Amino acid sequence: MNAERGRGAVLHLSAVLILIAGAMWWWRAAPREPVDDRLLGWRRTAEQLLPESGEQQMSGTVAVTGGEGHEEVAAVGSGEFLVSVVCAGEDGSRVRVSLGARETGRGMRCSGSRTPEVFSVGLADELHLRVNVEKAGPVVFRYTLQRLNS
């Protein structure tokens, strides 16, 4: 092996080692999401209260922290729909659910005895579902959307 090839091999090996070290640093520096066991239980509760069915056009489950909000926007086409919502959270937690931009929404309890709230709504093109959590949180919110007419 001549000197020029040896220097090239050392250069390539150094580049690979720097790349590996950078990738390891990036992986280890990424912030860890704290796992809240309560959220797992609340997710299970919400999914049991509002299970998947073959008739649904879409569904979703999301965890939202206290004092914050979440918005789902989905292109669904025009028609009559049945929107079902439920939430699960710590004692005293509540959410406000609205289906339109100018709507103040409807309050729901996320603790105690919970049953899904069901809304019938006519949509022109998109579903705009907004959830605002009151200060007591976090909560797990679940929704389903079912088309009433074909």
Side-chain angles (χ1 to χ4, degrees), residues 6-66:
R7 283 190 300 261
V10 168
L11 182 63
H12 281 93
L13 182 61
S14 297
V16 168
L17 290 175
I18 290 172
L19 182 63
I20 289 171
M24 288 177 61
W25 171 82
W26 181 81
W27 182 263
R28 296 184 86 206
R32 303 278 186 252
E33 288 293 322
V35 176
D36 190 345
D37 291 334
R38 299 175 308 165
L39 289 176
L40 297 174
W42 294 334
R43 177 178 285 273
R44 251 183 267 118
T45 299
E47 289 173 349
Q48 288 172 350
L49 289 169
L50 199 54
E52 292 287 330
S53 76
E55 300 170 351
Q56 296 168 354
Q57 184 163 342
M58 65 184 297
S59 66
T61 306
V62 63
V64 186
T65 59

Side-chain angles (χ1 to χ4, degrees), residues 62-82:
V62 63
V64 186
T65 59
E68 300 206 358
H70 177 78
E71 184 173 12
E72 291 283 329
V73 178
V76 294
S78 61
E80 291 288 319
F81 293 89
L82 204 59

Side-chain angles (χ1 to χ4, degrees), residues 1-7 9-10:
M1 179 195 268
N2 63 21
E4 191 172 315
R5 282 191 122 171
R7 283 190 300 261
V10 168

